[in-house]
Amino acid sequence: MTSERLVIVGGDAAGMSAASQARRTKGPQELEITAFERGRFSSYSACGIPYWVAGDVSGRDRLIARSPEEHRARGIDLRMRTEVTELDVAGRRVRWRALETGEEGWTGYDKLVLATGARPVRPPLPGIDAPGVHGVQTLGDGQALLDALSQEPGRRAVVVGAGYIGVEMAEALLRRGYAVTVVNSGEQPMATLDPDMGRLVHEAMTAMGITVVGGTEVTEVLTDG
């Protein structure tokens, strides 16, 4: 009996949850599972990065739910640092490239799952790519931020945006000894909440010592002042 082939593009939470569920449904003799992840980590909690920065999480590995080796032990061919560069829908195959070696190839599939996630909004502002400007989405981002904080501890930090991650990062930076200002285009933090609840969040942040500037858009990033 010929086994089916499942290909998953993206090896973080969604992709590997799909892979694990598929493996629980069918064993290796019935279903071949190949997953491609261009990053260095699989199955990790991006939502936990602010708590890692704050020191509540003792280390990066505590945010990883399952390592690539653990996935492979369950019969999932997880290929790290491998980017899918082309989909051949008619031929039911994907083209991939190993980022470390440059090796390229095609892998066929019967079923395909795209779990690549999304890119964070990074507005095209002057200075947005300057040194000292950090995004927080991946474990690599978190490590880069921690490395930068360890080099210049206890200064000033500005957080642009007051959604869940912005609020959590503001608290994390405050706990690391930074004077923190949050700049938000909305009048109150946490736009997903009702305005009265957002006002309570605002008041709590202010009571902690975080400066919250609402109804304000960032137009430029200057890093030489």
Side-chain angles (χ1 to χ4, degrees), residues 15-218:
M16 299 319 295
S17 292
S20 296
Q21 181 60 40
R23 176 54 72 228
R24 283 192 288 269
T25 302
K26 294 184 178 181
Q29 301 305 314
E30 300 175 272
L31 181 67
E32 297 178 19
I33 303 175
T34 303
F36 297 96
E37 167 55 45
R38 67 182 178 182
R40 300 181 184 277
F41 308 99
S42 67
S43 299
Y44 64 86
S45 170
C47 294
I49 293 174
Y51 301 97
W52 173 29
V53 173
D56 293 324
V57 175
S58 59
R60 181 181 63 197
D61 291 347
R62 296 294 300 271
L63 296 177
I64 299 174
R66 188 166 285 148
S67 69
E69 292 74 20
E70 289 175 300
H71 285 298
R72 293 174 190 135
R74 300 179 68 242
I76 299 170
D77 181 11
L78 175 55
R79 305 184 190 183
M80 303 299 295
R81 299 290 291 151
T82 305
E83 182 176 31
V84 170
T85 59
E86 185 178 345
L87 301 181
D88 178 7
V89 177
R92 302 179 77 84
R93 59 180 186 163
V94 300
R95 185 175 181 84
W96 51 267
R97 179 170 62 91
L99 299 178
E100 303 290 350
T101 65
E103 180 187 359
E104 295 185 290
W106 290 94
T107 297
Y109 65 83
D110 296 297
K111 292 182 173 62
L112 175 66
V113 174
L114 298 179
T116 54
R119 291 186 177 91
V121 175
R122 196 174 180 89
L125 301 175
I128 195 68
D129 294 319
V133 180
H134 297 270
V136 183
Q137 186 185 28
T138 67
L139 290 188
D141 294 338
Q143 188 64 65
L145 176 58
L146 281 170
D147 292 344
L149 295 179
S150 66
Q151 294 172 13
E152 296 187 69
R155 297 185 62 193
R156 296 171 298 162
V158 174
V159 177
V160 179
Y164 289 96
I165 299 299
V167 171
E168 291 167 353
M169 283 304 306
E171 181 183 3
L173 292 165
L174 183 73
R175 290 176 56 186
R176 292 186 67 91
Y178 278 70
V180 181
T181 298
V182 176
V183 181
N184 187 42
S185 60
E187 291 296 331
Q188 301 292 354
M190 306 286 287
T192 54
L193 302 177
D194 290 336
D196 59 333
M197 294 297 293
R199 186 166 55 253
L200 293 175
V201 174
H202 188 155
E203 292 171 357
M205 294 172 69
T206 300
M208 293 172 63
I210 299 170
T211 301
V212 182
V213 182
T216 303
E217 292 188 1
V218 173

